[in-house]
Amino acid sequence: MASSLSNSAAAFTGATASDLLRSSRSCGVSGIPLRTLGNARFSVRTGDLSVVAKVRKVKKHEYPWPEDPDPNVKGGVLTHLSHFKPHKEKPKPVTLDFEKPLVALEKKIIDVRKMANETGLDFSDQIALLESKYQQALKDLYTHLTPIQRVNIARHPNRPTFLDHIFGITEKFVELHGDRAGYDDPAIVTGIGTIDGRRYMFIGHQKGRNTKENIMRNFGMPTPHGYRKALRMMYYADHHGFPIVTFIDTPGAFADLKSEELGQGEAIAHNLRTMFGLKVPIVSIVIGEGGSGGALAIGCANKLLMLENAVFYVASPEACAAILWKTAKAAPKAAEKLRITGPELCKLQIADGIIPEPLGGAHADPSWTSQQIKKAINESMDELNKMDTEALLKHRMLKFRKIGGFQEGVPVDPIRKVNMKKKEEPIVRKTSVLELEDQVETLKEQISKAKESSSKPTELALNEMIEKLKEEIDLEYSEAVEAIGLKDRLSNLREECAKANSQDQLMHPVLMDKIEKLHDEFNKGLPTAPNYASLKYKLDMLKEFSKAKYTLEKKSKGEELKLDINKKIKEVMDRPEIKEKMQALKAEVQKSGASTAADLDEGTKESISKMKKEMQLELVKVLKSMDLDVEIVSAKKLIDDDLKGKVESLREETNKKIENLMNSSDLKKTIQLLKLEVAKAGKTPTVASKNKIEALEQQIRQKLATAIHSSEIKEKHEKLLTEITLESNGGSNGSLKNDDLKEGTPKNDESRVEINLGANRSFT
């Protein structure tokens, strides 16, 4: 076989021995540099057969989607299957923005050591002092990290990756590849490993340790193939009974067009559904950042643990800030509001534990961090292995069911309430007096017409007007307070009162004095307010309509009650035994031929009296069955309408006098002291507290009695009592006509049944 090249032999000058091919079985070419071979055209002739070929450069595909996904192509999509090798060199230190104050101290330590080496002098004391300062500054910094600082640590370029931790905690580890659908996503790594002799299925997001690896691993953002590979390994672990440990470290699922075409959402959803049905324990550990559904797709576990500086979020702080505040510069604020750090998520019961990191972050001591992870895995698996399958599945379900749970009717914590967004209240416009006057006149006409007809429609309109007037009066008072210049004092006083109420304490006397002083100042300054006239008009209208409402309600309730009572009385009178007795009594009176009660004989009078008592007892039973208080009173105790009016007037005057006394400062303080003593005494008061309470009550009674006896109310009361006595002595003439008995009810009895229905209501 002869081989000939189109290029001259000079093309091979300068080639090193390592660049030469040692042998070639296919074409018999030897001693040719590869670089030259790539650009050369060569031919192979064997007798009459001639083969000419050219090696040409192909367009480099865009990772992670190759143009030709054939896994058998050398240098194709499976190049990443090479073993994960540790870095030969220590990674370059990366200083975060908030760590820059430590750089100056570190530089000083280096300079002092260099000086010690150069001069040969002993600077050990100075170096020890600087190192202690550095350690203290580092401790202070890392014990008071803000959420955005933790985000930056979680994204640190030198932070240990999933495979770094795996080789640090396992004795044996075998990586498993492929989703059995034609692709193997390097962003998710799966494999079987052992920890302390126990086998586990490990699944995790894998980021790169440098730019080249990050491009190969797609920056830890899985495609649908990655989630389907993870799903395959979950089924494998479930079948063989291997507990599953997942490591979360991804900014999110890869969000390009092809991923969506291949079913990114469906792949994540399928993983979520499957993980809730796996019959083996699952522990998830967030070692970096856990972003949205891309993290949750391998995070539906019985236990979710987080490294101290890891974050777990539904949207990155930058994305959240861009949506809410229209700028990524608000990321620190968004990170704080999102509550994405380990301590916050543990409070919300989303995360189940925090794995400590060394000062400076996990990258400061990866080996120590890996051992802490190993310890946490062993503890969690020891706990979960005690559960049977049913308890394990229920435990996993309840963990996620309680997230975001709430209870109705439970008061909101005041600290949380402050941070809530305030409800935007609608702007209420004040109604002018002229407009209100028209509405008032219309309503008055309706009320006057309703006195003769049904009052239900009027009651509805009346209630609406009363509510409207209340709102209008509130607006008028607010305007008046602002005009007088008491707005700030009022708001400060409201805050003090709210604080006192939140602590479930009785109002302090000092606070009561402040309220009284403000009340007095407001009352004095109110007539000077520009809206005083409209406020007074609306108050008068409210008082008038409230009175009309009370009258209508009283009237409607009274009418309903009268109908019910009359119905019951008719039922009693229609009873056969009552009718028979009444007929017999009528026949006896007619037989006697008496025209007046004086003409009746003793036997007939006794029969009438007995019949009357029986009817009274029956009526009392019926009325008591209606939950009415019934009292039989003598006719001598009844007074006419004129005396009733006088009694009501005296009662109102007495109540007003008592109310004024109660509002006086002296009596008010005594009542306040009584309240305080009662509150202090509680349910089981001591003898001393009982004596104090009785003494205060006696003081209040004496002051009220002295004030009433010293006023003209006592004289009016004695005068009215004399009139009632005279009226009762001059009672009725005692005549009884036959017509009265013919009607079936006596019209001028010696006694009547009075039904008391509470305050201001009675029927006789």
Side-chain angles (χ1 to χ4, degrees), residues 83-117:
H83 296 292
F84 182 82
K85 300 180 181 66
H87 279 306
K88 292 180 181 178
E89 297 177 0
K90 192 176 179 181
K92 292 180 181 179
V94 177
T95 303
L96 300 173
D97 289 339
F98 68 90
E99 292 178 324
K100 286 180 180 177
L102 298 173
V103 175
L105 277 172
E106 200 171 359
K107 190 174 182 297
K108 280 183 182 179
I109 294 169
I110 293 168
D111 290 342
V112 172
R113 279 180 179 163
K114 187 178 179 182
M115 189 185 298
N117 292 332

mmCIF file of all heavy atoms in Angstrom, residues 83-117:
data_model
loop_
_atom_site.group_PDB
_atom_site.id
_atom_site.type_symbol
_atom_site.label_atom_id
_atom_site.label_comp_id
_atom_site.label_asym_id
_atom_site.label_seq_id
_atom_site.Cartn_x
_atom_site.Cartn_y
_atom_site.Cartn_z
ATOM 1 N N HIS A 83 -15.093 10.576 34.840
ATOM 2 C CA HIS A 83 -15.150 10.639 36.299
ATOM 3 C C HIS A 83 -14.993 12.078 36.794
ATOM 4 O O HIS A 83 -14.259 12.867 36.230
ATOM 5 C CB HIS A 83 -14.063 9.754 36.906
ATOM 6 C CG HIS A 83 -14.249 8.299 36.604
ATOM 7 N ND1 HIS A 83 -15.291 7.566 37.117
ATOM 8 C CD2 HIS A 83 -13.533 7.440 35.813
ATOM 9 C CE1 HIS A 83 -15.215 6.328 36.685
ATOM 10 N NE2 HIS A 83 -14.158 6.215 35.879
ATOM 11 N N PHE A 84 -15.697 12.354 37.889
ATOM 12 C CA PHE A 84 -15.592 13.672 38.528
ATOM 13 C C PHE A 84 -14.259 13.726 39.273
ATOM 14 O O PHE A 84 -14.023 12.952 40.198
ATOM 15 C CB PHE A 84 -16.758 13.853 39.513
ATOM 16 C CG PHE A 84 -16.780 15.184 40.199
ATOM 17 C CD1 PHE A 84 -17.320 16.296 39.583
ATOM 18 C CD2 PHE A 84 -16.267 15.323 41.485
ATOM 19 C CE1 PHE A 84 -17.367 17.512 40.232
ATOM 20 C CE2 PHE A 84 -16.301 16.537 42.137
ATOM 21 C CZ PHE A 84 -16.852 17.637 41.506
ATOM 22 N N LYS A 85 -13.387 14.623 38.813
ATOM 23 C CA LYS A 85 -12.034 14.682 39.380
ATOM 24 C C LYS A 85 -11.894 15.922 40.250
ATOM 25 O O LYS A 85 -12.413 16.974 39.911
ATOM 26 C CB LYS A 85 -10.992 14.716 38.266
ATOM 27 C CG LYS A 85 -11.012 13.500 37.348
ATOM 28 C CD LYS A 85 -9.959 13.627 36.279
ATOM 29 C CE LYS A 85 -9.981 12.433 35.333
ATOM 30 N NZ LYS A 85 -11.205 12.355 34.530
ATOM 31 N N PRO A 86 -11.165 15.799 41.364
ATOM 32 C CA PRO A 86 -10.927 16.989 42.190
ATOM 33 C C PRO A 86 -10.004 17.960 41.475
ATOM 34 O O PRO A 86 -9.218 17.577 40.608
ATOM 35 C CB PRO A 86 -10.261 16.421 43.446
ATOM 36 C CG PRO A 86 -9.670 15.126 43.011
ATOM 37 C CD PRO A 86 -10.542 14.587 41.927
ATOM 38 N N HIS A 87 -10.109 19.240 41.861
ATOM 39 C CA HIS A 87 -9.244 20.254 41.268
ATOM 40 C C HIS A 87 -7.788 19.991 41.636
ATOM 41 O O HIS A 87 -7.474 19.675 42.786
ATOM 42 C CB HIS A 87 -9.639 21.648 41.786
ATOM 43 C CG HIS A 87 -10.808 22.228 41.064
ATOM 44 N ND1 HIS A 87 -10.851 22.358 39.701
ATOM 45 C CD2 HIS A 87 -11.980 22.731 41.526
ATOM 46 C CE1 HIS A 87 -11.999 22.905 39.338
ATOM 47 N NE2 HIS A 87 -12.710 23.140 40.428
ATOM 48 N N LYS A 88 -6.918 20.121 40.646
ATOM 49 C CA LYS A 88 -5.489 19.969 40.925
ATOM 50 C C LYS A 88 -4.972 21.165 41.711
ATOM 51 O O LYS A 88 -4.080 21.045 42.534
ATOM 52 C CB LYS A 88 -4.715 19.818 39.615
ATOM 53 C CG LYS A 88 -5.005 18.512 38.894
ATOM 54 C CD LYS A 88 -4.209 18.434 37.596
ATOM 55 C CE LYS A 88 -4.521 17.128 36.858
ATOM 56 N NZ LYS A 88 -3.783 17.045 35.570
ATOM 57 N N GLU A 89 -5.549 22.318 41.420
ATOM 58 C CA GLU A 89 -5.125 23.536 42.103
ATOM 59 C C GLU A 89 -6.264 24.050 42.977
ATOM 60 O O GLU A 89 -7.435 23.834 42.678
ATOM 61 C CB GLU A 89 -4.734 24.612 41.084
ATOM 62 C CG GLU A 89 -3.551 24.228 40.211
ATOM 63 C CD GLU A 89 -3.244 25.298 39.179
ATOM 64 O OE1 GLU A 89 -3.966 26.327 39.176
ATOM 65 O OE2 GLU A 89 -2.308 25.113 38.394
ATOM 66 N N LYS A 90 -5.879 24.735 44.029
ATOM 67 C CA LYS A 90 -6.876 25.339 44.914
ATOM 68 C C LYS A 90 -7.591 26.465 44.172
ATOM 69 O O LYS A 90 -6.946 27.277 43.503
ATOM 70 C CB LYS A 90 -6.188 25.891 46.163
ATOM 71 C CG LYS A 90 -7.144 26.275 47.261
ATOM 72 C CD LYS A 90 -6.392 26.729 48.495
ATOM 73 C CE LYS A 90 -7.366 27.141 49.587
ATOM 74 N NZ LYS A 90 -6.660 27.603 50.797
ATOM 75 N N PRO A 91 -8.928 26.519 44.236
ATOM 76 C CA PRO A 91 -9.636 27.577 43.506
ATOM 77 C C PRO A 91 -9.256 28.966 44.007
ATOM 78 O O PRO A 91 -8.936 29.157 45.191
ATOM 79 C CB PRO A 91 -11.111 27.273 43.782
ATOM 80 C CG PRO A 91 -11.128 26.424 45.001
ATOM 81 C CD PRO A 91 -9.843 25.645 44.974
ATOM 82 N N LYS A 92 -9.283 29.912 43.097
ATOM 83 C CA LYS A 92 -8.931 31.282 43.461
ATOM 84 C C LYS A 92 -9.960 31.839 44.445
ATOM 85 O O LYS A 92 -11.165 31.651 44.257
ATOM 86 C CB LYS A 92 -8.891 32.163 42.214
ATOM 87 C CG LYS A 92 -7.753 31.810 41.269
ATOM 88 C CD LYS A 92 -7.772 32.723 40.059
ATOM 89 C CE LYS A 92 -6.638 32.365 39.096
ATOM 90 N NZ LYS A 92 -6.647 33.231 37.884
ATOM 91 N N PRO A 93 -9.498 32.513 45.470
ATOM 92 C CA PRO A 93 -10.462 33.070 46.443
ATOM 93 C C PRO A 93 -11.314 34.165 45.799
ATOM 94 O O PRO A 93 -10.814 34.974 45.021
ATOM 95 C CB PRO A 93 -9.579 33.618 47.560
ATOM 96 C CG PRO A 93 -8.252 33.839 46.932
ATOM 97 C CD PRO A 93 -8.104 32.816 45.846
ATOM 98 N N VAL A 94 -12.586 34.148 46.134
ATOM 99 C CA VAL A 94 -13.533 35.153 45.630
ATOM 100 C C VAL A 94 -14.087 35.905 46.829
ATOM 101 O O VAL A 94 -14.649 35.293 47.752
ATOM 102 C CB VAL A 94 -14.680 34.500 44.834
ATOM 103 C CG1 VAL A 94 -15.679 35.552 44.383
ATOM 104 C CG2 VAL A 94 -14.132 33.736 43.643
ATOM 105 N N THR A 95 -13.922 37.216 46.835
ATOM 106 C CA THR A 95 -14.396 38.034 47.956
ATOM 107 C C THR A 95 -15.739 38.666 47.589
ATOM 108 O O THR A 95 -15.847 39.361 46.573
ATOM 109 C CB THR A 95 -13.378 39.141 48.285
ATOM 110 O OG1 THR A 95 -12.114 38.535 48.562
ATOM 111 C CG2 THR A 95 -13.832 39.949 49.485
ATOM 112 N N LEU A 96 -16.741 38.402 48.398
ATOM 113 C CA LEU A 96 -18.051 39.021 48.191
ATOM 114 C C LEU A 96 -18.026 40.462 48.688
ATOM 115 O O LEU A 96 -17.163 40.852 49.487
ATOM 116 C CB LEU A 96 -19.130 38.229 48.927
ATOM 117 C CG LEU A 96 -19.273 36.753 48.500
ATOM 118 C CD1 LEU A 96 -20.252 36.036 49.411
ATOM 119 C CD2 LEU A 96 -19.719 36.641 47.046
ATOM 120 N N ASP A 97 -18.992 41.251 48.240
ATOM 121 C CA ASP A 97 -18.999 42.688 48.562
ATOM 122 C C ASP A 97 -19.011 42.939 50.067
ATOM 123 O O ASP A 97 -18.301 43.806 50.572
ATOM 124 C CB ASP A 97 -20.210 43.364 47.912
ATOM 125 C CG ASP A 97 -20.054 43.455 46.401
ATOM 126 O OD1 ASP A 97 -18.901 43.374 45.937
ATOM 127 O OD2 ASP A 97 -21.069 43.595 45.689
ATOM 128 N N PHE A 98 -19.835 42.176 50.786
ATOM 129 C CA PHE A 98 -19.952 42.437 52.227
ATOM 130 C C PHE A 98 -18.745 41.900 53.001
ATOM 131 O O PHE A 98 -18.592 42.180 54.189
ATOM 132 C CB PHE A 98 -21.252 41.831 52.774
ATOM 133 C CG PHE A 98 -21.293 40.332 52.769
ATOM 134 C CD1 PHE A 98 -20.844 39.604 53.861
ATOM 135 C CD2 PHE A 98 -21.785 39.630 51.678
ATOM 136 C CE1 PHE A 98 -20.892 38.231 53.875
ATOM 137 C CE2 PHE A 98 -21.834 38.256 51.680
ATOM 138 C CZ PHE A 98 -21.382 37.554 52.778
ATOM 139 N N GLU A 99 -17.873 41.111 52.342
ATOM 140 C CA GLU A 99 -16.686 40.576 53.005
ATOM 141 C C GLU A 99 -15.457 41.480 52.853
ATOM 142 O O GLU A 99 -14.400 41.183 53.418
ATOM 143 C CB GLU A 99 -16.342 39.197 52.422
ATOM 144 C CG GLU A 99 -17.353 38.119 52.759
ATOM 145 C CD GLU A 99 -17.012 36.784 52.122
ATOM 146 O OE1 GLU A 99 -16.504 36.774 50.980
ATOM 147 O OE2 GLU A 99 -17.255 35.747 52.774
ATOM 148 N N LYS A 100 -15.591 42.565 52.098
ATOM 149 C CA LYS A 100 -14.438 43.432 51.819
ATOM 150 C C LYS A 100 -13.808 44.032 53.075
ATOM 151 O O LYS A 100 -12.591 44.232 53.107
ATOM 152 C CB LYS A 100 -14.841 44.520 50.835
ATOM 153 C CG LYS A 100 -15.005 43.973 49.427
ATOM 154 C CD LYS A 100 -15.414 45.036 48.440
ATOM 155 C CE LYS A 100 -15.572 44.426 47.045
ATOM 156 N NZ LYS A 100 -16.033 45.424 46.060
ATOM 157 N N PRO A 101 -14.575 44.342 54.144
ATOM 158 C CA PRO A 101 -13.915 44.838 55.367
ATOM 159 C C PRO A 101 -12.910 43.843 55.963
ATOM 160 O O PRO A 101 -11.970 44.240 56.652
ATOM 161 C CB PRO A 101 -15.078 45.064 56.335
ATOM 162 C CG PRO A 101 -16.248 45.310 55.457
ATOM 163 C CD PRO A 101 -16.037 44.464 54.251
ATOM 164 N N LEU A 102 -13.096 42.542 55.687
ATOM 165 C CA LEU A 102 -12.170 41.541 56.217
ATOM 166 C C LEU A 102 -10.860 41.490 55.434
ATOM 167 O O LEU A 102 -9.847 41.006 55.941
ATOM 168 C CB LEU A 102 -12.822 40.147 56.179
ATOM 169 C CG LEU A 102 -14.097 39.953 57.013
ATOM 170 C CD1 LEU A 102 -14.707 38.594 56.729
ATOM 171 C CD2 LEU A 102 -13.787 40.089 58.495
ATOM 172 N N VAL A 103 -10.901 41.974 54.190
ATOM 173 C CA VAL A 103 -9.713 41.892 53.328
ATOM 174 C C VAL A 103 -8.578 42.723 53.904
ATOM 175 O O VAL A 103 -7.401 42.311 53.857
ATOM 176 C CB VAL A 103 -10.067 42.342 51.896
ATOM 177 C CG1 VAL A 103 -8.815 42.365 51.028
ATOM 178 C CG2 VAL A 103 -11.113 41.420 51.301
ATOM 179 N N ALA A 104 -8.897 43.893 54.464
ATOM 180 C CA ALA A 104 -7.860 44.767 55.019
ATOM 181 C C ALA A 104 -7.131 44.080 56.173
ATOM 182 O O ALA A 104 -5.891 44.113 56.259
ATOM 183 C CB ALA A 104 -8.488 46.074 55.496
ATOM 184 N N LEU A 105 -7.888 43.409 57.063
ATOM 185 C CA LEU A 105 -7.265 42.688 58.171
ATOM 186 C C LEU A 105 -6.402 41.534 57.667
ATOM 187 O O LEU A 105 -5.293 41.292 58.158
ATOM 188 C CB LEU A 105 -8.347 42.147 59.112
ATOM 189 C CG LEU A 105 -8.896 43.117 60.166
ATOM 190 C CD1 LEU A 105 -10.080 42.490 60.877
ATOM 191 C CD2 LEU A 105 -7.835 43.504 61.169
ATOM 192 N N GLU A 106 -6.914 40.826 56.662
ATOM 193 C CA GLU A 106 -6.176 39.700 56.097
ATOM 194 C C GLU A 106 -4.861 40.175 55.468
ATOM 195 O O GLU A 106 -3.820 39.519 55.596
ATOM 196 C CB GLU A 106 -7.046 38.992 55.056
ATOM 197 C CG GLU A 106 -6.598 37.586 54.765
ATOM 198 C CD GLU A 106 -7.607 36.837 53.894
ATOM 199 O OE1 GLU A 106 -8.649 37.437 53.544
ATOM 200 O OE2 GLU A 106 -7.336 35.684 53.570
ATOM 201 N N LYS A 107 -4.913 41.331 54.799
ATOM 202 C CA LYS A 107 -3.716 41.892 54.161
ATOM 203 C C LYS A 107 -2.667 42.276 55.213
ATOM 204 O O LYS A 107 -1.461 42.061 55.038
ATOM 205 C CB LYS A 107 -4.101 43.116 53.326
ATOM 206 C CG LYS A 107 -2.980 43.635 52.429
ATOM 207 C CD LYS A 107 -3.513 44.748 51.533
ATOM 208 C CE LYS A 107 -2.421 45.246 50.587
ATOM 209 N NZ LYS A 107 -1.288 45.849 51.285
ATOM 210 N N LYS A 108 -3.150 42.800 56.341
ATOM 211 C CA LYS A 108 -2.224 43.156 57.425
ATOM 212 C C LYS A 108 -1.510 41.920 57.966
ATOM 213 O O LYS A 108 -0.295 41.942 58.230
ATOM 214 C CB LYS A 108 -2.981 43.851 58.562
ATOM 215 C CG LYS A 108 -3.270 45.317 58.309
ATOM 216 C CD LYS A 108 -3.943 45.922 59.527
ATOM 217 C CE LYS A 108 -4.293 47.389 59.270
ATOM 218 N NZ LYS A 108 -4.979 47.989 60.438
ATOM 219 N N ILE A 109 -2.267 40.861 58.145
ATOM 220 C CA ILE A 109 -1.672 39.616 58.664
ATOM 221 C C ILE A 109 -0.597 39.109 57.708
ATOM 222 O O ILE A 109 0.504 38.701 58.123
ATOM 223 C CB ILE A 109 -2.771 38.544 58.885
ATOM 224 C CG1 ILE A 109 -3.724 38.981 60.010
ATOM 225 C CG2 ILE A 109 -2.165 37.190 59.214
ATOM 226 C CD1 ILE A 109 -4.974 38.133 60.120
ATOM 227 N N ILE A 110 -0.894 39.152 56.403
ATOM 228 C CA ILE A 110 0.085 38.689 55.398
ATOM 229 C C ILE A 110 1.337 39.562 55.415
ATOM 230 O O ILE A 110 2.474 39.065 55.352
ATOM 231 C CB ILE A 110 -0.569 38.682 53.999
ATOM 232 C CG1 ILE A 110 -1.675 37.620 53.942
ATOM 233 C CG2 ILE A 110 0.459 38.421 52.910
ATOM 234 C CD1 ILE A 110 -2.577 37.716 52.729
ATOM 235 N N ASP A 111 1.140 40.888 55.528
ATOM 236 C CA ASP A 111 2.286 41.816 55.535
ATOM 237 C C ASP A 111 3.179 41.595 56.757
ATOM 238 O O ASP A 111 4.417 41.606 56.652
ATOM 239 C CB ASP A 111 1.784 43.263 55.513
ATOM 240 C CG ASP A 111 1.153 43.623 54.180
ATOM 241 O OD1 ASP A 111 1.408 42.891 53.203
ATOM 242 O OD2 ASP A 111 0.389 44.615 54.128
ATOM 243 N N VAL A 112 2.553 41.380 57.910
ATOM 244 C CA VAL A 112 3.343 41.171 59.138
ATOM 245 C C VAL A 112 4.129 39.869 59.045
ATOM 246 O O VAL A 112 5.305 39.797 59.446
ATOM 247 C CB VAL A 112 2.425 41.187 60.380
ATOM 248 C CG1 VAL A 112 3.191 40.783 61.632
ATOM 249 C CG2 VAL A 112 1.820 42.572 60.569
ATOM 250 N N ARG A 113 3.521 38.809 58.517
ATOM 251 C CA ARG A 113 4.217 37.537 58.364
ATOM 252 C C ARG A 113 5.394 37.668 57.386
ATOM 253 O O ARG A 113 6.477 37.109 57.600
ATOM 254 C CB ARG A 113 3.237 36.485 57.859
ATOM 255 C CG ARG A 113 2.383 35.889 58.969
ATOM 256 C CD ARG A 113 1.430 34.873 58.445
ATOM 257 N NE ARG A 113 0.641 34.288 59.530
ATOM 258 C CZ ARG A 113 -0.478 33.613 59.349
ATOM 259 N NH1 ARG A 113 -0.952 33.460 58.121
ATOM 260 N NH2 ARG A 113 -1.109 33.110 60.373
ATOM 261 N N LYS A 114 5.166 38.409 56.304
ATOM 262 C CA LYS A 114 6.224 38.624 55.312
ATOM 263 C C LYS A 114 7.398 39.382 55.950
ATOM 264 O O LYS A 114 8.577 39.049 55.734
ATOM 265 C CB LYS A 114 5.648 39.408 54.129
ATOM 266 C CG LYS A 114 6.609 39.549 52.966
ATOM 267 C CD LYS A 114 5.929 40.288 51.818
ATOM 268 C CE LYS A 114 6.895 40.455 50.661
ATOM 269 N NZ LYS A 114 6.264 41.235 49.538
ATOM 270 N N MET A 115 7.048 40.397 56.751
ATOM 271 C CA MET A 115 8.089 41.179 57.427
ATOM 272 C C MET A 115 8.864 40.298 58.408
ATOM 273 O O MET A 115 10.107 40.396 58.516
ATOM 274 C CB MET A 115 7.450 42.362 58.170
ATOM 275 C CG MET A 115 8.468 43.367 58.718
ATOM 276 S SD MET A 115 7.657 44.640 59.689
ATOM 277 C CE MET A 115 6.615 45.395 58.445
ATOM 278 N N ALA A 116 8.160 39.410 59.103
ATOM 279 C CA ALA A 116 8.820 38.516 60.054
ATOM 280 C C ALA A 116 9.789 37.583 59.340
ATOM 281 O O ALA A 116 10.899 37.311 59.826
ATOM 282 C CB ALA A 116 7.784 37.720 60.830
ATOM 283 N N ASN A 117 9.380 37.090 58.184
ATOM 284 C CA ASN A 117 10.244 36.196 57.416
ATOM 285 C C ASN A 117 11.463 36.922 56.860
ATOM 286 O O ASN A 117 12.567 36.369 56.810
ATOM 287 C CB ASN A 117 9.453 35.556 56.271
ATOM 288 C CG ASN A 117 8.401 34.600 56.778
ATOM 289 O OD1 ASN A 117 8.556 34.005 57.857
ATOM 290 N ND2 ASN A 117 7.323 34.443 56.019
#
